[in-house]
Structures are given as C-alpha cells and as structure tokens.
Amino acid sequence: MGTRWSVKLIARASALAMLERGIQARLDEVVAQMSTWEADSDISRYNRSAAGSAHTLPAGFAEVMAAALALAADTDGAYDPSIGPLVDLWGFGPAGAREAAPDALAVANAQARVGWRRLRFDAAARSLEQPGGAYVDLSSIAKGYGVDRVADYLLEQGIADCLVEVGGELRGHGRKPDASPWRVAVEQPGGGDDEAAAVIALDGLAIATSGDYRRYFDADGQRYSHTLDPRSGRPIAHPLASVTVLHAQCMQADALATALTVLGAHAGMAYANRHGLAALFVLREGDAFVTRTTPAFVARQCRP
C-alpha cells in the first residue's frame, strides 16, 4: 500500500510473533487483491483484461467493490471506483508523477473511460465484467478495509484491547493498559506538532482523514491535489483542506472522507448531516484554517 502499519495491543508476550504474522498475512492479502501498484494483483489483472470478460472476485475484493459502488450511487458519482484513468493521468498512480497539468483533450480522453455505471457487478456471484478500458482504483477505500481486516482478526484472537493504524487510518477497541481510552488527535493543517483540530477516543470506532495538503504537485503557480473529482476529471479546487470521518468500519470512514472532500464544504456537510455522519471539515479562509463539525462528531469529541 506504499505505507506503514502499526498495532498497539494488550496480549501475552508469547503470542506476539503469531499475531504479527497474522496481521501481515491479512494486509498482504489486501495488497494481492486490490493494489494497482502490483502488476499481478487481482485488480491489475482486471484492469488489463479484454472488453466483455467476466471476473470472479475474491471475497474481500467483492466486499470492497460493493461498498464502493453503493457510495458512488449514493453520491451521484462524486465518489467513483472507476477513477483509475484520471489518477494515472494526473500523476498520482503507477504511471508515475508529472510536473505539468495535462491538457483538456487528455483529460477528456481519460474521463471517457470513467463512470461507475459502466461497471457491471453481480454481488451475489462476486462477478465483475470489464466493459472495455475500465480501470478500477480502490485506493480510497482498500486501506481502510485493511485496517478492518486486522482489527477483526485481533478480535477473533481474543484481543479486546488494540489500536490498529495503516497509513494514518485507525480503528480502536477497548483501552490502554492504564485503563485510559485510545485517544487520537486529528491533525490541524498548517498547525504545529502540538496543535490538533480535535481529539477522539476510539473504542469500537474508526477514523479516517482525506486532505489535499499531503499529496499534490505545483505547476504554473497552481497547486493540484491528489483528490480528483471524477465528475470534472480534475483535482478539487475549493477551500476545503481536509475531511475527517468517524465510523464503526474504517472502510466506510476511508471512502466517506474522500467522497465528502470531493463534494466540498457545503454539499459535503449537507450529505453528512443527512446521513447522520460524524465528520469534521477543515476549510481555508485566507491564510487561516477554520473547522466545521457535524453534531454527530461533536458528540464524539473528547472534552478538554
């Protein structure tokens, strides 16, 4: 996944080696199924396949695909798992980075291959048809799914107290050895190391953040974010700097954070409130940052 993982847990010392092997095996499985950076992964083989071919997906891949398509339908395409051609075109995929923005024709050509409605997926049969030129990219949801796989594995092993983190997405259960909760600080863009937008206690809860200030490139005096709007074919260009979402499933928190970021502050906040989501929005106002939170998020915040 191009990142690191970390797990804090309470367990017998004699079990640690076995647990580490189990954790790594589950993350390796996610990579083998859904990494567009691995040429022999299930998703890469699908993306290279011929038009009209049907592919039976592994159970994990199918679960993530179903969730991604459901969110695509619910957001009317603001979230779209077929965004791969645009991700590569803008230099944020396996095709490599770029130093200049693509021209309008290149964007139009890539966008012609994007569209979640083109993906014919039979959830019951776990079958996904290749319509021709489709390039599925699940990077905005698979990492969260990996967190869930690890957390669920640990719970199955009787580990009631753990904090799982993969590339900044987290899910926590139980408490630390001193009986205090697993507290997680939400980063404040532009803030110092000791500055946080909020602090959340995770117990049966996951947290994920999507932001435009980590991955981007600058060209001709303009910054291009890695968060792309599949409806326009271009990086987002609004004042929203980041969105953090809390959810019982990290897979859902991960994807929802991306979807809300694409929707923007106004439409994103409306969507979050309509669905009762716990979400924190960080917006740019000149050189400063301001936060907006949903009632569900406020209810989860740790009090000073």
Side-chain angles (χ1 to χ4, degrees):
M1 300 183 206
T3 189
R4 299 179 179 182
W5 65 264
S6 169
V7 175
K8 304 183 192 307
L9 53 81
I10 301 176
R12 299 186 313 275
S14 60
L16 294 181
M18 178 271 291
L19 292 172
E20 183 174 358
R21 288 193 298 272
I23 291 167
Q24 190 65 61
R26 278 144 188 84
L27 294 175
D28 289 345
E29 185 179 86
V30 175
V31 170
Q33 293 181 15
M34 289 172 269
S35 174
T36 57
W37 298 80
E38 297 292 335
D40 61 347
S41 67
D42 293 293
I43 199 169
S44 292
R45 288 197 295 271
Y46 168 83
N47 289 337
R48 291 194 304 269
S49 65
S53 58
H55 304 256
T56 301
L57 306 184
F61 190 168
E63 181 181 352
V64 174
M65 197 72 225
L69 288 172
L71 186 57
D74 202 42
T75 60
D76 198 22
Y79 183 88
D80 193 329
S82 71
I83 199 171
L86 291 170
V87 174
D88 261 2
L89 178 68
W90 284 94
F92 299 110
R98 61 182 306 134
E99 298 179 352
D103 60 33
L105 179 59
V107 172
N109 288 338
Q111 198 171 14
R113 297 169 55 198
V114 175
W116 63 272
R117 289 183 177 86
R118 299 179 67 228
L119 301 176
R120 296 180 181 177
F121 177 59
D122 184 333
R126 304 205 315 262
S127 177
L128 181 64
E129 183 179 320
Q130 169 61 267
Y135 181 170
V136 173
D137 187 328
L138 298 173
S139 300
S140 60
I141 188 172
K143 189 167 61 172
Y145 174 74
V147 172
D148 288 331
R149 284 297 312 276
V150 171
D152 290 342
Y153 163 72
L154 293 173
L155 293 173
E156 291 166 3
Q157 299 303 309
I159 306 300
D161 304 289
C162 61
L163 179 67
V164 178
E165 182 261 341
V166 179
E169 323 293 25
L170 302 101
R171 182 172 140 187
H173 290 274
R175 290 179 173 262
K176 298 194 296 189
D178 63 3
S180 64
W182 302 106
R183 286 191 176 90
V184 174
V186 179
E187 183 180 10
Q188 174 68 51
D193 292 340
D194 298 327
E195 190 174 351
V199 177
I200 301 294
L202 298 184
D203 184 4
L205 196 64
I207 185 170
T209 297
S210 176
D212 70 352
Y213 54 93
R214 287 294 189 192
R215 293 185 63 203
Y216 58 86
F217 69 90
D218 293 315
D220 300 321
Q222 186 171 347
R223 175 164 295 185
Y224 296 96
S225 166
H226 83 286
T227 302
L228 306 175
D229 187 336
R231 301 167 300 179
S232 68
R234 303 181 63 82
I236 58 171
H238 49 59
L240 196 55
S242 71
V243 177
T244 296
V245 174
L246 307 176
H247 198 282
Q249 282 187 302
C250 198
M251 173 180 71
Q252 293 290 348
D254 196 5
L256 284 164
T258 298
L260 296 180
T261 300
V262 172
L263 285 169
H266 181 73
M269 180 65 78
Y271 180 97
N273 283 324
R274 190 164 62 248
H275 290 80
L277 299 177
L280 178 148
F281 296 73
V282 179
L283 296 85
R284 292 184 178 83
E285 284 192 359
D287 294 330
F289 293 92
V290 297
T291 60
R292 301 283 186 269
T293 53
T294 63
F297 190 94
V298 173
R300 293 284 192 174
Q301 281 186 258
C302 294
R303 298 296 180 260

